Amino acid sequence: MSIIKNYAAPQAGAELELQEYDAGPLAAEDVEVAVDYCGICHSDLSMIDNEWGFSQYPLVAGHEVIGHVVALGDAAQNKGLKVGQRVGIGWTAHSCGHCDACIDGNQINCLEGAVPTILNRGGFADKIRAGWQWVIPLPDSIDIETAGPLLCGGITVFKPLLMHNVTATSRVGVIGIGGLGHIAIKLLRAMGCEVTAFSSNPAKEAEVRLMGADYVVNSRDPEALKARAGQYDLIINTVNVDLDWLPFFEALAHGGHFHTVGAVMKPLEVPAFTLIGGDRSVSGSATGTPYELRKLMKFAGRAKVAPTIEMFPMSQINEALQHVRDGKARYRVVLKADF
């Protein structure tokens, strides 16, 4: 018997309550991890509130977990993990391992349906379980207090850099300098790129430049956007609000890519000739594979890329969630387990 303590939402939109459940025997390919830190993501709020329509209650959210291995299933014994090892767990807890997507190394798009960590009971808990592939070894060089948001927000903005072969010579724009965008700027600066931040908040300019932006452009100023025409190899959109997208498409250089990781609810209107005229493209992505997560954590540790965070004890989880709901987080909130 393995009793796990957790903070669970008893129903949609409710405050979280301290509960316990018997996790039962450890599955053969699973790893049990003691939680040290867990970030809060807007996706946690969406799941708690059942905004996407598939939440199950009581719901234990949390998917930016930093912890250490406490037990290994029989089939996870010889997979490179060991008891006591520092590890992370992100959005995904399980994938089938045998479908074409998984065999191709694209487990995040598992054809049998990758299982989100939250639906597997997430990291707002003293322990968590996940399939061994999704338990990501951490380099000794990484800062464990700030590393959690890299496992969701970080990989979300790192994935487009891998997909579009970004290098030190790339010119990259980032729309929205919040929980996702600020990590993107730090990663791009560490890679040596020329970085432009598109922000609607002029008060952030000095801070954004300190993060590594070469230029800061008002995302709601048509003339300022027009002046950037034809410049960018990649523009990453991190916001979920609808904007006038045409100036951003026109800001792409020939062969440039507009890539959204922000879940904009309205369809993007893309004039065909804007793409045809410059061999441009529009794309999107979710999170990353186990290999991409490992690559990110190694790079972040070596390059000292750390999200800007605010720390709360997990016992103050409802206050921390409200802080995120109110849009006050600068720029990510991390919970420290204090059971």
Side-chain angles (χ1 to χ4, degrees):
M1 184 171 70
S2 180
I3 300 298
I4 293 181
K5 298 178 181 179
N6 60 83
Y7 288 96
Q11 59 191 27
E15 285 200 347
L16 274 55
E17 300 174 354
L18 183 59
Q19 298 182 359
E20 294 182 350
Y21 72 94
D22 182 359
L26 187 61
E29 297 201 356
D30 276 7
V31 179
E32 186 167 278
V33 174
V35 177
D36 296 314
Y37 300 93
C38 186
I40 294 177
C41 175
H42 274 282
S43 298
D44 294 313
L45 299 179
S46 295
M47 290 294 289
I48 289 169
D49 296 344
N50 198 22
E51 287 182 2
W52 298 332
F54 59 82
S55 298
Q56 302 168 14
Y57 300 91
L59 182 135
V60 184
H63 59 278
E64 298 179 343
V65 176
I66 299 295
H68 57 278
V69 175
V70 293
L72 297 160
D74 291 343
Q77 295 283 339
N78 59 346
K79 300 299 191 296
L81 298 170
K82 59 185 179 181
V83 171
Q85 183 175 0
R86 290 281 184 188
V87 294
I89 299 171
W91 175 257
T92 307
H94 291 102
S95 50
C96 78
H98 57 77
C99 71
D100 286 350
C102 286
I103 293 297
D104 189 44
N106 194 13
Q107 298 94 327
I108 194 65
N109 290 311
C110 174
L111 301 179
E112 298 294 324
V115 178
T117 295
I118 295 174
L119 294 185
N120 195 56
R121 304 211 189 195
F124 296 164
D126 66 340
K127 288 179 287 187
I128 183 174
R129 293 178 174 183
W132 65 266
Q133 285 193 356
W134 293 100
V135 178
I136 308 303
L138 300 181
D140 292 338
S141 55
I142 206 159
D143 176 34
I144 62 169
E145 290 190 356
T146 60
L150 292 172
L151 294 157
C152 180
I155 191 62
T156 297
V157 294
F158 188 60
K159 178 76 171 266
L161 311 187
L162 300 176
M163 289 176 63
H164 299 297
N165 302 309
V166 167
T167 69
T169 63
S170 300
R171 296 165 298 171
V172 183
V174 179
I175 305 172
I177 314 305
L180 294 176
H182 93 281
I183 301 176
I185 288 173
K186 292 185 177 190
L187 288 168
L188 289 163
R189 171 50 54 204
M191 294 174 70
C193 303
E194 180 184 288
V195 188
T196 298
F198 293 101
S199 175
S200 61
N201 186 355
K204 288 184 177 180
E205 179 168 351
E207 189 174 4
V208 172
R209 287 186 179 275
L210 286 174
M211 291 175 187
D214 297 289
Y215 306 100
V216 181
V217 177
N218 188 333
S219 59
R220 297 187 183 276
D221 183 340
E223 292 304 313
L225 294 176
K226 186 177 180 180
R228 313 304 291 185
Q231 296 195 21
Y232 298 100
D233 302 301
L234 174 65
I235 294 177
I236 303 172
N237 172 53
T238 72
V239 302
N240 58 11
V241 296
D242 189 41
L243 299 176
D244 179 6
W245 301 111
L246 183 58
F248 295 105
F249 301 147
E250 294 179 340
L252 296 173
H254 65 275
H257 310 281
F258 179 94
H259 190 103
T260 188
V261 295
V264 183
M265 299 311 293
K266 290 186 177 180
L268 302 180
E269 295 187 6
V270 189
F273 280 107
T274 300
L275 303 183
I276 294 170
D279 293 337
R280 300 166 175 140
S281 68
V282 176
S283 55
S285 60
T287 60
T289 67
Y291 176 66
E292 290 164 342
L293 282 160
R294 288 181 179 218
K295 183 178 289 190
L296 170 59
M297 302 313 274
K298 289 176 183 177
F299 175 65
R302 177 169 57 81
K304 304 302 180 186
V305 175
T308 300
I309 70 158
E310 297 177 81
M311 186 79 73
F312 285 73
M314 197 171 288
S315 56
Q316 294 180 14
I317 191 167
N318 285 307
E319 293 89 337
L321 289 168
Q322 191 60 47
H323 189 67
V324 176
R325 284 185 190 278
D326 293 341
K328 295 179 179 178
R330 289 294 182 270
Y331 281 85
R332 304 287 287 199
V333 168
V334 172
L335 302 169
K336 182 176 183 179
D338 61 342
F339 289 91

